[in-house]
C-alpha cells in the first residue's frame, strides 16, 4: 500500500514538475507544416471510435517489450534496470480535478533522438525500422510478435487527452552504457512538441511511461471496469507479457485487540475516581461481555494490481492440452452466450496466399429467433478477426459467409494481413474470400462429424433438431456445397421417423427409379401418412418422404436428383412404381380394359367437371379411396399453390392461374362407390331416348359432392363453398328422412328505429372489452395522446388518416413518437 501511495504521489509530483519545466522554457520544436496538418487529420479522422487508443498504446508497449526480448538474445545487458517485463495501467483523479491515465512498460525504451524521430515525425515506425534491421541480420529476432507498422498508434492518445507526456529511459547497450531519462510532451492542438531531460533523474529503471491528461468528456476511462472491458475486447491476447491494472476498493475489517485497547486508553479520563472493588468487578464483566458481542470494525482502502490477461490465447495452445471446460468457458466469455456450444473445431492453416492463421470454430447449441425472421438478410457478426492477437473487427460485411452459415461463431488470428492504417478494416477482399471458403469447409467437416457420431446420439439429435431447416436452406442457397448440406438433412417417412437421402436410396425397392415424396405445408407426418396419394405406395411397402415444413418442397425441387434418382411428387399425375417394366404388355392391356369398361363414367365426369378438372382417368394409385385429384406434370400441387399464393403480389398472373387448373381426377375402379356410379350412368337413357332429368340431377349432385370432397381432401379449394355446403345439407337431410324442401324458421328480432338524437362531437368513448388483438404486439402505440394548449385533437381532426398511418407504421416496423388509442376489430 505504501508503494502504491508513493507511486500516486510521484505521478502527481511528476505532472507538476513537467508543467514547471515547460513553463521554464524547455526547447520547443516545430512540426513540419504539412506534417502538422496531417497529424490533426490522423487525430480527428483516422479512427472510427476512440476506444481504440488503448489497443494502440498496449500494442506499442508490447512492441517495446518484444524488442527488448529479441535484443537480449545477443546483448544481455539490455535487461538491466528493471526486473519484470510487463505493462501497467494506472488511472487516477487529482484534487484539482485533473484526471490522468498512465500506461507504462518495462520495454527497450527510447533515447531523446528516438523520441524526436519516432514521436515527432508522423508515420515514422520504429517497429518497421527494427524489423528491417532484424530481417537483414543473421539472428532469429524477426520471429517476435511485433505489431506496429504505420507509426501512427501513439497519436490515438490525443483522442482522449488534451496533453500527453511520454517519459522514456532507453535500455543499456554497448553504445549507450549510461542512458538518461527524457520527456516528450505535446498537446492535441499545438503544432509543436518538446523533448527535455527529466529533472527527477532515473525513475523508470527502463522503459516508457505515457501520461495522458484526459479531456473533460473522456473521464469514463478512469473507471476500472471500462478499462478492463476494453483490454478484454481488444488486447487480452495481444501480448504474452502481463498487463496489470491498478485498482482500489474499500473494505470493513475488524480492529485488532491492541488497537482497541490503545483507543480505549486514549479515551479514559485523566482523573481516576475511587470505585468500590465489587462494583468495579461487575462493571468489568459486563464490559467484557459487550466487547465479545460487538466487535469493532474500521474502513480501509485496499490497493491491488489486477492481472488482466492472465489466460494465454487458447487458440495458440495445442488442442490436446485444452479441456472441454476451457473451450466452453472461452466460448461463453467471448461470445456472451450462457449456454454451452454444441461442438467446436480447433485448427490452423494457410489462407492460400501465404497468410498463416489459427482459428477455433464454434457451433452454438441454439439459434437466435431473429435468424428465422429473415434468414436471407442475415449477416455474420461473430467472426472475430485478429492479427497477431490484436482484435481487429467482427464485422466483415454482408458477404463474409453464406446466409445459411451466418450463425457460426469463429475466432481467427492471422499472423499478417493487409490492414488500413487504422487497423480496423482490411484493404484486400481476397483474404476474406479465402477465409470464407476455409470457414465453410471446416464448418461442413464439423457438421459431418457430428452427423456421423454414433457414440454421441444426443449431440447428433440436437444437431438435426436445431439445424435441419438450416441445412435445407443451405442446399437451396449454396450450390457449391449443395450435396454436402443435403446429405445432412433428415426427413420423416411413412416407414420411419426420419431418414437421410443416402439411407433412403440405400433401402429403395428393386426397380425403383424415383424418390417418392409428398409435401403439404403445415401437416404433420402422421396426417400425411394417411393421405389419399400414398395409399397404394404404402400398401405395397414403398417408402415415401413426408414433407410438412415450408422449406421441404423448395429443397427437393432445388436438389432435383439424388444419386441420379429424380424426386417424384406422388401428388402429381404419372405415378410409376418401377416394376411396370417387368411385364409392360400385361400392364398396358389391363389399363386399356379398365379404360374401356369405365368409359361411360369417364365421359360423364369430364363433361360435368369441365372448368374445374382438366382430365379424368382410371387410377393406379388408389386402394380404398373412391377418387383423388392430382396435379398434372406441369401443374401446381395444392402445397405449391399455397406457397405461391403466400408470396405472390397483388395482380393476376396468367401463367400461374393456368398451372393451378392443370388437375386430373383419378377414380378407383375397385371402389364400390365408383362401381355404383358407373351403373347409374349406364342406366341413363341414351341420347336418342327421352332424358330422365330427375335421375341426371341426382347423379350430378353426387358427382359434385364427390369432386368437391376430393378437392378438399387433396388440399385444393372448392369452386364455391356455399354450393358445396348446400348440397351437403340436402344429402344429410335425405339420410335422416327430413324433407329437403322444409324451410328453416327465419324469424329474427328487428333492429331499433333510427336514432333521433345527435351525438356530442367530444365523445370518443367506446367499449373495447371485446378486443382480442394486442396493439403492442403489432408494434402499435397505445394510450390517448397528450395535447398541448391550442393543439387540435388528431382523432377529431382526421381519425381515419391517423389509423392509416398507425397501421402503416406497424407493417413497416416503424415506431411513431405519439401515443395512440387502442384499436379494436372495427378499426382493424
Amino acid at each position: 500500500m505504501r508503494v502504491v501511495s508513493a507511486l500516486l504521489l510521484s505521478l502527481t509530483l511528476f505532472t507538476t514538475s513537467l508543467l514547471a519545466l515547460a513553463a521554464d522554457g524547455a526547447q520547443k520544436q516545430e512540426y513540419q507544416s504539412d506534417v502538422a496538418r496531417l497529424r490533426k487529420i490522423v487525430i480527428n479522422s483516422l479512427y472510427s471510435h476512440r476506444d481504440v487508443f488503448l489497443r494502440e498504446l498496449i500494442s506499442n508497449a508490447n512492441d517495446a517489450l518484444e524488442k527488448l526480448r529479441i535484443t537480449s538474445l545477443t546483448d544481455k545487458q539490455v535487461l538491466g534496470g528493471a526486473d519484470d517485463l510487463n505493462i501497467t495501467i494506472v488511472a487516477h483523479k487529482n484534487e484539482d480535478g485533473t484526471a490522468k491515465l498512465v500506461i507504462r512498460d518495462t520495454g527497450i525504451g527510447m533515447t531523446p533522438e528516438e523520441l524526436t524521430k519516432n514521436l515527432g515525425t508522423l508515420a515514422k515506425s520504429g517497429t518497421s525500422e527494427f524489423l528491417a534491421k532484424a530481417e537483414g541480420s543473421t539472428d532469429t529476432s524477426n520471429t517476435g510478435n511485433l505489431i506496429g507498422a504505420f507509426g501512427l498508434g501513439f497519436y490515438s492518445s490525443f483522442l482522449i487527452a488534451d496533453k500527453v507526456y511520454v517519459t522514456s529511459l532507453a535500455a543499456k547497450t554497448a553504445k549507450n552504457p549510461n542512458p538518461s531519462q527524457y520527456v516528450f510532451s505535446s498537446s492535441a492542438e499545438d503544432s509543436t512538441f518538446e523533448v527535455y531531460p527529466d529533472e527527477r533523474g532515473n525513475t523508470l529503471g527502463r522503459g516508457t511511461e505515457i501520461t495522458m491528461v484526459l479531456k473533460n468528456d473522456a473521464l469514463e476511462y478512469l473507471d476500472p471496469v471500462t478499462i478492463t472491458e476494453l483490454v478484454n475486447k481488444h488486447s487480452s491476447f495481444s501480448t504474452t507479457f502481463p498487463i496489470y491494472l491498478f485498482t482500489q476498493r474499500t473494505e470493513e475489517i475488524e480492529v485488532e485487540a491492541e488497537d482497541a485497547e490503545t483507543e480505549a486508553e486514549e479515551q479514559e479520563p485523566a482523573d481516576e475516581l475511587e470505585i468500590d472493588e465489587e462494583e468495579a468487578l461487575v462493571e468489568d464483566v459486563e464490559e467484557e461481555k459487550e466487547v465479545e458481542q460487538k466487535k469493532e470494525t474500521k474502513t480501509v482502502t485496499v490497493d491491488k494490481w489486477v492481472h488482466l490477461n492472465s489466460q494465454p490465447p487458447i487458440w495458440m495452445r495445442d488442442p490436446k492440452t485444452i479441456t472441454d471446460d476451457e473451450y466452453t468457458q472461452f466460448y461463453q466469455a467471448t461470445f456472451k452466450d450462457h449456454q454451452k456450444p454444441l461442438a467446436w473445431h480447433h485448427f490452423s492453416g494457410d489462407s492460400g496466399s501465404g497468410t498463416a492463421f489459427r482459428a477455433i470454430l464454434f457451433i452454438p447449441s441454439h439459434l437466435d429467433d431473429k435468424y428465422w425472421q429473415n434468414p436471407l438478410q442475415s449477416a455474420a457478426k461473430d467472426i472475430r478477426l485478429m492479427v497477431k492477437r490484436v482484435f481487429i473487427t467482427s464485422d466483415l460485411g454482408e458477404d463474409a459467409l453464406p446466409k445459411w452459415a451466418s450463425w457460426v461463431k469463429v475466432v481467427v488470428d492471422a499472423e499478417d494481413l493487409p490492414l488500413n492504417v487504422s487497423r480496423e478494416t482490411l484493404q484486400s477482399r481476397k483474404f476474406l474470400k479465402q477465409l470464407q471458403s476455409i470457414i465453410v469447409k471446416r464448418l461442413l467437416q464439423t457438421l459431418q462429424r457430428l452427423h456421423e457420431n454414433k457414440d454421441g446420439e444426443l449431440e447428433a439429435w440436437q444437431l438435426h433438431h436445431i439445424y435441419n431447416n438450416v441445412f435445407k436452406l443451405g442446399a437451396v442457397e449454396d450450390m457449391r456445397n449443395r450435396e454436402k448440406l443435403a446429405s445432412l438433412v433428415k426427413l420423416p417417412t411413412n416407414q420411419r421417423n426420419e431418414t437421410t437421402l443416402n439411407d433412403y436410396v440405400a433401402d429403395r425397392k428393386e426397380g425403383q427409379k424415383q424418390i417418392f415424396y409428398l409435401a403439404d405445408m403445415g401437416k404433420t407426418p402422421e396426417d400425411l401418412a394417411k393421405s389419399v396419394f400414398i395409399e397404394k405406395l404404402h400398401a405395397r411397402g414403398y417408402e415415401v418422404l413426408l414433407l410438412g415444413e415450408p422449406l421441404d418442397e423448395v429443397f427437393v425441387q432445388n436438389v432435383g436428383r439424388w444419386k441420379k434418382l429424380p424426386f417424384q411428387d406422388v401428388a402429381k399425375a404419372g405415378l410409376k412404381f418401377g416394376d411396370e417394366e417387368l411385364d409392360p404388355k400385361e400392364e398396358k392391356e389391363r389399363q386399356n380394359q379398365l379404360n374401356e369398361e369405365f368409359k361411360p363414367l369417364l365421359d360423364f365426369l369430364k363433361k360435368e367437371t369441365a372448368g374445374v378438372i382438366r382430365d379424368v382417368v382410371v387410377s393406379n394409385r388408389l386402394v380404398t379411396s373412391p377418387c383423388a385429384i392430382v396435379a398434372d406434370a406441369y401443374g401446381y400441387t395444392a402445397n405449391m399453390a399455397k406457397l405461391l399464393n403466400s408470396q405472390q403480389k397483388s395482380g393476376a398472373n396468367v401463367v400461374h392461374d393456368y398451372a393451378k387448373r392443370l388437375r386430373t381426377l383419378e377414380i378407383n375402379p375397385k371402389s364400390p362407390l365408383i362401381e355404383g356410379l358407373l351403373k347409374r350412368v349406364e342406366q341413363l337413357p341414351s341420347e336418342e331416348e327421352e332424358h330422365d332429368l330427375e335421375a341426371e340431377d341426382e347423379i350430378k349432385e353426387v358427382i359434385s359432392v364427390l369432386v368437391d370432397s376430393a378437392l378438399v381432401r387433396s388440399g385444393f379449394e372448392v369452386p364455391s363453398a356455399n354450393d358445396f355446403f348446400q348440397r351437403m345439407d340436402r344429402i344429410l337431410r335425405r339420410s335422416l328422412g327430413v324433407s329437403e324442401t322444409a324451410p328453416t324458421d327465419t324469424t329474427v328480432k328487428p333492429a331499433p328505429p333510427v336514432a333521433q338524437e345527435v351525438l356530442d362531437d367530444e365523445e370518443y368513448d367506446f367499449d373495447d372489452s371485446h378486443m382480442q388483438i394486442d396493439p403492442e404486439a403489432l408494434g402499435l402505440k397505445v394510450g390517448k395522446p397528450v395535447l398541448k394548449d391550442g393543439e387540435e385533437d388528431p382523432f377529431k381532426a382526421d381519425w381515419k388518416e391517423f389509423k392509416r398511418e398507425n397501421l402503416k407504421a406497424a407493417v413497416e416496423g416503424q415506431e411513431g413518437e405519439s401515443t395512440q388509442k387502442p384499436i379494436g376489430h372495427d378499426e382493424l
Side-chain angles (χ1 to χ4, degrees):
M1 180 175 175
R2 293 176 180 175
V3 174
V4 175
S5 300
L7 173 64
L8 295 178
L9 179 61
S10 65
L11 288 173
T12 304
L13 294 175
F14 170 58
T15 305
T16 305
S17 63
L18 291 177
L19 295 174
L21 279 173
D24 290 341
Q27 185 177 1
K28 294 185 178 181
Q29 300 185 45
E30 293 283 342
Y31 288 107
Q32 295 180 10
S33 59
D34 291 341
V35 173
R37 291 179 57 196
L38 183 58
R39 176 174 169 269
K40 290 186 178 181
I41 294 175
V42 168
I43 295 172
N44 298 319
S45 305
L46 177 62
Y47 298 98
S48 60
H49 201 286
R50 63 181 183 176
D51 283 349
V52 299
F53 86 92
L54 194 57
R55 179 195 71 184
E56 297 295 321
L57 297 182
I58 290 177
S59 297
N60 288 347
N62 172 78
D63 284 353
L65 291 164
E66 193 68 26
K67 291 175 190 176
L68 180 74
R69 184 188 66 80
I70 294 171
T71 305
S72 68
L73 298 176
T74 56
D75 189 359
K76 297 293 184 182
Q77 66 175 324
V78 297
L79 296 175
D83 296 331
D84 298 327
L85 299 179
N86 58 37
I87 302 170
T88 58
I89 304 174
V90 178
H92 66 98
K93 191 171 184 178
N94 295 332
E95 295 181 356
D96 60 359
T98 59
K100 302 179 184 65
L101 184 64
V102 182
I103 299 177
R104 176 180 175 181
D105 67 75
T106 56
I108 198 166
M110 288 179 282
T111 64
E113 293 78 13
E114 289 173 331
L115 283 171
T116 302
K117 181 173 61 175
N118 295 337
L119 304 184
T121 304
L122 194 65
K124 177 64 177 178
S125 173
T127 297
S128 297
E129 185 176 343
F130 181 84
L131 281 173
K133 291 180 180 179
E135 290 172 356
S137 64
T138 57
D139 60 25
T140 58
S141 60
N142 58 347
T143 59
N145 176 27
L146 292 168
I147 302 169
F150 300 106
L152 299 173
F154 163 72
Y155 295 99
S156 65
S157 59
F158 291 103
L159 295 172
I160 66 160
D162 289 319
K163 189 81 173 178
V164 177
Y165 301 94
V166 181
T167 306
S168 190
L169 178 62
K172 294 181 180 180
T173 61
K175 295 182 179 179
N176 188 15
N178 297 306
S180 299
Q181 186 167 305
Y182 273 76
V183 178
F184 170 97
S185 67
S186 183
S187 65
E189 300 299 329
D190 290 346
S191 60
T192 62
F193 64 90
E194 300 169 353
V195 177
Y196 49 87
D198 191 344
E199 68 172 7
R200 301 173 303 166
N202 182 351
T203 61
L204 298 179
R206 183 191 65 242
T208 302
E209 182 179 79
I210 300 178
T211 302
M212 291 165 281
V213 182
L214 299 182
K215 298 177 181 179
N216 292 331
D217 62 348
L219 299 182
E220 61 191 273
Y221 298 107
L222 293 176
D223 185 4
V225 176
T226 301
I227 296 176
T228 302
E229 289 177 349
L230 291 179
V231 173
N232 289 339
K233 178 181 179 181
H234 293 284
S235 307
S236 58
F237 303 114
S238 64
T239 176
T240 56
F241 304 105
I243 302 174
Y244 295 103
L245 173 64
F246 175 71
T247 61
Q248 289 183 322
R249 69 176 187 272
T250 58
E251 291 184 355
E252 293 287 335
I253 63 172
E254 295 182 6
V255 179
E256 296 181 1
E258 296 180 358
D259 295 340
E261 290 177 1
T262 302
E263 292 178 1
E265 290 177 358
E266 292 176 353
Q267 293 176 359
E268 286 182 359
D271 297 333
E272 296 183 358
L273 301 176
E274 294 183 1
I275 303 175
D276 185 74
E277 292 183 358
E278 293 182 0
E279 291 180 0
L281 182 61
V282 172
E283 291 177 358
D284 290 342
V285 172
E286 291 178 352
E287 288 177 359
E288 288 179 2
K289 289 182 179 180
E290 290 179 0
V291 170
E292 291 177 358
Q293 293 176 357
K294 185 179 180 181
K295 297 181 180 180
E296 296 185 16
T297 62
K298 64 179 180 179
T299 302
V300 296
T301 301
V302 179
D303 301 331
K304 184 178 180 181
W305 289 98
V306 179
H307 192 178
L308 298 182
N309 61 338
S310 58
Q311 294 295 328
I314 191 172
W315 59 85
M316 299 297 295
R317 296 164 53 188
D318 185 350
K320 297 179 181 179
T321 65
I322 307 174
T323 65
D324 290 352
D325 287 340
E326 287 179 301
Y327 278 118
T328 299
Q329 292 173 6
F330 173 75
Y331 167 80
Q332 292 176 334
T334 303
F335 298 104
K336 304 298 184 291
D337 189 349
H338 66 281
Q339 298 187 27
K340 294 182 179 180
L342 184 60
W344 55 82
H345 185 31
H346 190 166
F347 60 96
S348 60
D350 189 285
S351 65
S353 58
T355 301
F357 67 89
R358 293 174 178 266
I360 306 180
L361 178 149
F362 291 94
I363 298 178
S365 57
H366 63 96
L367 268 180
D368 196 328
D369 293 338
K370 294 181 180 178
Y371 176 82
W372 286 115
Q373 292 177 4
N374 199 344
L376 295 180
Q377 298 296 326
S378 58
K381 295 295 185 182
D382 285 318
I383 303 179
R384 295 178 59 85
L385 179 62
M386 312 183 84
V387 177
K388 293 182 179 179
R389 273 68 73 198
V390 177
F391 173 74
I392 302 301
T393 182
S394 60
D395 186 3
L396 300 180
E398 294 183 359
D399 300 326
L401 284 179
K403 303 302 181 184
W404 69 268
S406 61
W407 42 266
V408 72
K409 302 181 187 298
V410 191
V411 174
V412 180
D413 185 6
E415 287 303 317
D416 190 22
L417 282 180
L419 300 173
N420 69 350
V421 291
S422 68
R423 295 199 293 176
E424 295 175 348
T425 56
L426 291 174
Q427 289 181 328
S428 173
R429 308 297 295 181
K430 182 178 179 181
F431 176 76
L432 289 183
K433 293 181 179 180
Q434 296 169 339
L435 182 63
Q436 178 195 78
S437 177
I438 293 170
I439 292 177
V440 172
K441 179 181 177 181
R442 297 290 184 167
L443 173 60
L444 289 172
Q445 291 176 353
T446 308
L447 294 172
Q448 190 67 38
R449 174 171 54 84
L450 271 179
H451 173 73
E452 297 174 353
N453 185 12
K454 297 181 180 179
D455 296 330
E457 294 183 0
L458 177 60
E459 288 79 6
W461 178 87
Q462 284 181 300
L463 174 71
H464 293 97
H465 178 71
I466 299 169
Y467 294 102
N468 203 41
N469 282 329
V470 173
F471 301 151
K472 299 172 191 175
L473 177 64
V476 174
E477 175 199 5
D478 192 350
M479 294 181 62
R480 182 177 179 181
N481 298 296
R482 175 170 294 169
E483 186 173 349
K484 293 179 181 179
L485 287 163
S487 67
L488 300 173
V489 175
K490 286 190 174 182
L491 300 167
T493 73
N494 59 320
Q495 295 181 359
R496 41 189 166 180
N497 290 333
E498 59 184 17
T499 185
T500 63
L501 295 178
N502 287 331
D503 291 341
Y504 180 98
V505 171
D507 298 336
R508 72 188 188 281
K509 300 297 181 182
E510 184 179 353
Q512 181 180 343
K513 297 181 180 180
Q514 304 93 352
I515 300 175
F516 300 119
Y517 77 91
L518 175 63
D520 196 347
M521 184 174 59
K523 293 288 186 68
T524 64
E526 292 76 15
D527 290 336
L528 291 173
K530 301 173 184 178
S531 173
V532 62
F533 299 116
I534 67 169
E535 283 184 353
K536 196 168 185 178
L537 288 164
H538 182 72
R540 295 192 62 189
Y542 285 92
E543 189 170 21
V544 183
L545 301 177
L546 306 177
L547 312 180
E549 297 288 341
L551 274 172
D552 286 345
E553 188 161 11
V554 179
F555 163 71
V556 297
Q557 288 191 357
N558 277 270
V559 174
R561 290 174 174 266
W562 191 256
K563 305 299 183 184
K564 298 182 179 180
L565 295 180
F567 287 91
Q568 170 67 54
D569 188 348
V570 299
K572 284 193 171 186
L575 177 65
K576 300 292 183 182
F577 294 91
D579 59 353
E580 294 87 355
E581 297 181 1
L582 299 177
D583 196 352
K585 184 177 180 180
E586 180 181 352
E587 184 69 23
K588 187 175 181 181
E589 290 178 355
R590 178 177 173 276
Q591 190 66 32
N592 290 336
Q593 182 181 354
L594 289 174
N595 290 338
E596 186 65 29
E597 180 183 352
F598 284 86
K599 187 177 185 305
L601 179 59
L602 294 175
D603 292 340
F604 195 89
L605 289 171
K606 289 178 182 179
K607 180 180 178 181
E608 293 302 319
T609 59
V612 179
I613 303 299
R614 188 187 64 84
D615 197 10
V616 183
V617 298
V618 177
S619 177
N620 68 335
R621 78 174 75 223
L622 300 175
V623 178
T624 60
S625 299
C627 64
I629 295 178
V630 300
D632 290 356
Y634 298 101
Y636 289 158
T637 62
N639 185 61
M640 185 55 66
K642 285 189 289 187
L643 285 173
L644 292 172
N645 288 337
S646 64
Q647 299 175 4
Q648 188 176 345
K649 297 181 179 179
S650 59
N653 190 310
V654 178
V655 177
H656 288 178
D657 291 342
Y658 176 75
K660 292 176 184 177
R661 292 196 296 269
L662 295 179
R663 297 179 291 204
T664 298
L665 174 65
E666 295 188 0
I667 60 173
N668 183 3
K670 296 182 180 180
S671 170
L673 178 59
I674 297 301
E675 291 177 347
L677 192 58
L678 173 62
K679 291 179 181 179
R680 293 292 300 274
V681 171
E682 290 177 337
Q683 292 173 2
L684 290 175
S686 61
E687 293 182 1
E688 293 79 10
E689 300 175 352
E690 185 178 354
H691 288 271
D692 187 347
L693 298 179
E694 185 176 350
E696 287 184 10
D697 290 342
E698 187 177 347
I699 294 175
K700 290 179 181 179
E701 185 176 54
V702 172
I703 290 175
S704 297
V705 173
L706 187 66
V707 172
D708 286 347
S709 300
L711 285 169
V712 173
R713 190 177 183 189
S714 299
F716 297 101
E717 294 182 357
V718 296
S720 174
N722 291 328
D723 293 344
F724 173 64
F725 284 107
Q726 287 177 4
R727 287 192 289 268
M728 292 297 299
D729 180 73
R730 291 197 297 269
I731 292 174
L732 291 174
R733 286 190 179 203
R734 285 201 298 268
S735 67
L736 296 174
V738 178
S739 173
E740 298 179 26
T741 59
T744 302
D745 185 4
T746 58
T747 304
V748 295
K749 181 181 178 181
V754 177
Q756 300 297 323
E757 65 275 11
V758 178
L759 293 176
D760 189 352
D761 291 339
E762 298 300 325
E763 292 182 3
Y764 297 105
D765 294 336
F766 62 96
D767 182 14
D768 61 352
S769 61
H770 65 285
M771 187 173 66
Q772 300 296 323
I773 299 177
D774 182 6
E776 293 183 348
L778 297 176
L780 306 178
K781 298 294 183 178
V782 297
K784 194 171 182 179
V786 178
L787 305 178
K788 299 179 181 179
D789 294 340
E791 185 177 358
E792 188 177 11
D793 191 334
F795 296 101
K796 181 178 179 181
D798 195 349
W799 169 237
K800 291 184 179 180
E801 183 64 22
F802 202 65
K803 292 185 298 179
R804 189 181 302 110
E805 292 297 326
N806 198 347
L807 290 174
K808 180 181 178 182
V811 172
E812 296 178 352
Q814 301 172 352
E815 292 188 2
E817 294 297 330
S818 61
T819 56
Q820 300 170 5
K821 191 175 182 182
I823 295 179
H825 292 306
D826 295 338
E827 286 73 28
L828 289 175

